[in-house]
Amino acid sequence: MTLRPSWGEGWWYLGTGLYEMHRYTEALDAFRRLSKIDVKDGSSRALMGLCEFQLHHYPQSLKLLLRAEQLGMGSNTEMLMTVNYHIVILLNLSGQFEWARDRLAPFSWVGDTSEPVIQAVGINALRMQVLPTDIPPDKSDLVMKAGRASWEPSLAGHPEQALQAFKELTEQYPKEPNLHYAYGVRLLETDPESALHEFQRELEINPSQIVARIQIILLKLKQGEAEAALPLARETVKLAPEYFMAHNALGRALLATGQTAAAIQELQTSVRLEPRIPESHFDLAEAYRAAGRKEEAAREQAEFQKIQKSRERPVVSVVPKPTPPAQ
């Protein structure tokens, strides 16, 4: 390689060979050199990200994998799904559960029920900031049960089975943090009163649980109880000032009580903290419309539609199941 330092194919084969030998530091160097040759190809960044993952450099790994997606990795569906899988588990690890949940969609499109995917779903449902390889032994069975309850009935088109599975889990693990919240989320569409009960039960077990508070706020708004929701929304922002959904919930409560200017400020903060969530742009567009700010409303509506379109199901005939990360 010293004779032909600009030979991209050579760096590719050297890097993949080193990776397969578990020599991740050396492989990383080879892929880094490749990335300087193929600057517009995301594949080298993806492989760099996978090396960083194996070296336990998780924030850098996530950054590289997301960059690889932005640049594009061609039509290698195995690479695409492997990268997405690692992004999911790294988002779980960093506590970005809502984004991780959205990223699980491609696995549902192909009906993937492999153990790595079920583990990732279970970790997400229970909001555990761990990698699949680091699940505590005493939580392993619960994670798999929560993953199957969240995943398999939905894939089969039997949401009532998911409700029954979560009901049984909350009876088996009545004081498990985040389990009542997970059950409540699944009750929202069919039985909002029972969902509210589960969210309140979650707060009894886990008073610092922010998303249960947010769900209670949103339920109250849906029921036309904006004045009752507002104090809880303000309290939630104080508890979680850097969480985008806390500001979103407060913004929506303020908008519902006619405090449009204050609502816009909170919804702007929500978008600034997490610009990749389409619903945040939609809510901000609604607030701008209420204030008569038509150009800004149109801009946010366009951003909402752009993000929504990027999440549309791609045309993929067969996608190999992702493999679990190496031990």
Side-chain angles (χ1 to χ4, degrees):
M1 293 302 298
T2 56
L3 297 178
R4 298 182 62 186
S6 62
W7 185 31
E9 188 177 0
W11 288 117
W12 175 277
Y13 283 115
L14 176 62
T16 53
L18 290 166
Y19 187 91
E20 290 173 358
M21 296 168 64
H22 308 294
R23 293 164 62 177
Y24 301 118
T25 300
E26 295 165 273
L28 177 60
D29 182 64
F31 294 134
R32 188 177 287 123
R33 290 173 182 267
L34 175 62
S35 72
K36 294 178 181 178
I37 300 169
D38 296 331
V39 294
K40 295 183 179 180
D41 181 17
S43 300
S44 57
R45 273 76 170 182
L47 292 163
M48 288 167 62
L50 294 174
C51 287
E52 295 282 22
F53 181 90
Q54 300 296 349
L55 293 168
H56 301 173
H57 302 156
Y58 300 127
Q60 182 63 10
S61 174
L62 180 58
K63 181 179 178 181
L64 284 164
L65 295 174
L66 291 170
R67 179 57 178 158
E69 283 195 333
Q70 291 176 341
L71 290 172
M73 295 171 281
S75 58
N76 186 333
T77 52
E78 185 172 6
M79 171 73 82
L80 293 170
M81 296 298 273
T82 298
V83 166
N84 190 52
Y85 171 78
H86 283 80
I87 289 174
V88 167
I89 63 176
L90 287 169
L91 289 172
N92 279 341
L93 180 65
S94 64
Q96 299 183 72
F97 299 109
E98 285 72 27
W99 192 17
R101 184 182 63 242
D102 289 343
R103 300 287 311 222
L104 283 162
F107 300 106
S108 71
W109 298 336
V110 295
D112 193 331
T113 57
S114 62
E115 183 172 316
V117 169
I118 295 297
Q119 284 181 324
V121 173
I123 289 169
N124 184 268
L126 296 170
R127 304 181 74 84
M128 297 171 65
Q129 289 186 243
V130 298
L131 293 171
T133 50
D134 297 329
I135 298 170
D138 63 332
K139 300 287 185 182
S140 180
D141 184 58
L142 172 61
V143 167
M144 291 301 291
K145 286 180 177 177
R148 290 193 183 99
S150 300
W151 198 243
E152 293 175 351
S154 297
L155 292 184
H158 299 298
E160 70 283 353
Q161 293 181 7
L163 292 177
Q164 182 60 32
F166 269 103
K167 183 176 184 296
E168 292 172 0
L169 278 176
T170 57
E171 291 170 353
Q172 186 178 357
Y173 303 93
K175 295 186 179 180
E176 181 66 33
N178 296 313
L179 188 53
H180 288 274
Y181 172 76
Y183 183 26
V185 168
R186 281 150 187 85
L187 285 165
L188 275 171
E189 288 190 13
T190 58
D191 191 350
E193 285 301 321
S194 293
L196 180 60
H197 171 78
E198 292 301 324
F199 296 141
Q200 291 170 335
R201 181 77 180 103
E202 180 64 47
L203 292 182
E204 292 172 8
I205 298 165
N206 189 10
S208 63
Q209 221 273 23
I210 296 299
V211 285
R213 291 172 177 270
I214 290 170
Q215 290 291 0
I216 292 171
I217 295 165
L218 298 182
L219 275 172
K220 288 185 178 297
L221 290 176
K222 190 173 182 179
Q223 295 167 353
E225 301 176 16
E227 293 291 348
L230 194 53
L232 183 59
R234 293 189 189 280
E235 180 184 343
T236 302
V237 166
K238 289 180 180 179
L239 291 171
E242 297 302 313
Y243 187 44
F244 78 98
M245 274 301 299
H247 290 277
N248 178 273
L250 177 55
R252 290 171 66 176
L254 288 165
L255 187 62
T257 55
Q259 302 176 63
T260 306
I264 288 172
Q265 289 183 344
E266 293 298 330
L267 293 168
Q268 286 174 334
T269 300
S270 176
V271 168
R272 176 178 57 79
L273 289 171
E274 183 46 86
R276 297 162 295 194
I277 304 298
E279 294 80 7
S280 296
H281 293 278
F282 180 86
D283 293 331
L284 181 54
E286 288 287 292
Y288 280 140
R289 274 191 283 270
R293 295 162 64 170
K294 296 181 180 180
E295 290 184 7
E296 291 158 300
R299 182 193 66 209
E300 293 302 322
Q301 185 69 27
E303 187 65 21
F304 163 73
Q305 293 171 342
K306 176 183 175 182
I307 300 172
Q308 284 286 76
K309 186 175 181 180
S310 72
R311 293 183 176 187
E312 290 178 359
R313 176 175 177 169
V315 178
V316 177
S317 56
V318 178
V319 180
K321 292 180 179 180
T323 54
Q327 299 294 321

